[in-house]
């Protein structure tokens, strides 16, 4: 069963998922802390390149199935035009100012 984005527990994670699904690049970048980093399947990636390829140019979309760790860990169905749909895990590190300093994703 999918969790409505508006019901996600962590405000930064909620803003992240909302921006991904709305293809809102500005909103997405605003939720990231300066110097934010990310990893995909355990490998650090260039954040700007990754979000362009995996989210914005390929119509990325997340449907969250489960959250844990106070909303900072997600299991989600993620789909985009490049890879189709896959079950993914997400982990978010949130700064004291409420912005995401790092996220990690990969196949679940």
């Amino acid at each position: 069963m999918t969790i409505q984005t508006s019901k996600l527990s962590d405000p930064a994670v909620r803003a992240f998922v909302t921006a991904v699904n709305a293809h809102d690049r500005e909103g997405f970048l605003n939720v990231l802390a300066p110097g934010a980093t990310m990893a995909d399947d355990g490998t650090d990636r260039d954040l700007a390149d990754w979000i362009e390829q995996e989210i914005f140019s390929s119509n990325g979309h997340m449907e969250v199935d489960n959250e844990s760790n106070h909303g900072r860990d997600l299991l989600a169905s993620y789909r985009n035009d490049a890879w189709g749909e896959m079950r993914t895990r997400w982990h978010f590190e949130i700064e004291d100012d409420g912005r995401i300093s790092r996220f990690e994703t990969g196949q679940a």
Side-chain angles (χ1 to χ4, degrees):
M1 188 166 130
T2 305
I3 300 172
Q4 288 181 351
T5 302
S6 63
K7 305 274 192 221
L8 293 173
S9 300
D10 188 279
V13 173
R14 187 169 55 241
F16 180 100
V17 175
T18 298
V20 167
N21 291 347
H23 307 115
D24 175 4
R25 184 187 306 268
E26 185 176 340
F28 181 90
L29 294 174
N30 285 341
V31 78
L32 298 179
T37 61
M38 65 85 52
D40 187 353
D41 283 328
T43 303
D44 276 24
R45 304 293 174 107
D46 180 275
L47 179 69
D49 287 349
W50 190 89
I51 64 173
E52 178 58 33
Q53 293 173 5
E54 301 294 332
I55 298 174
F56 294 108
S57 69
S58 62
N59 297 307
H61 187 84
M62 295 174 74
E63 288 186 12
V64 178
D65 299 319
N66 185 280
E67 66 174 4
S68 57
N69 187 27
H70 307 287
R72 294 181 178 186
D73 291 324
L74 305 179
L75 278 176
S77 294
Y78 188 81
R79 68 176 181 270
N80 66 23
D81 295 345
W83 306 105
E85 187 163 330
M86 64 189 84
R87 190 148 172 80
T88 55
R89 58 179 165 69
W90 298 77
H91 171 75
F92 297 89
E93 294 175 18
I94 314 292
E95 294 294 295
D96 291 340
D97 70 359
R99 291 190 290 175
I100 296 167
S101 59
R102 180 171 176 83
F103 67 93
E104 299 174 8
T105 186
Q107 292 197 41

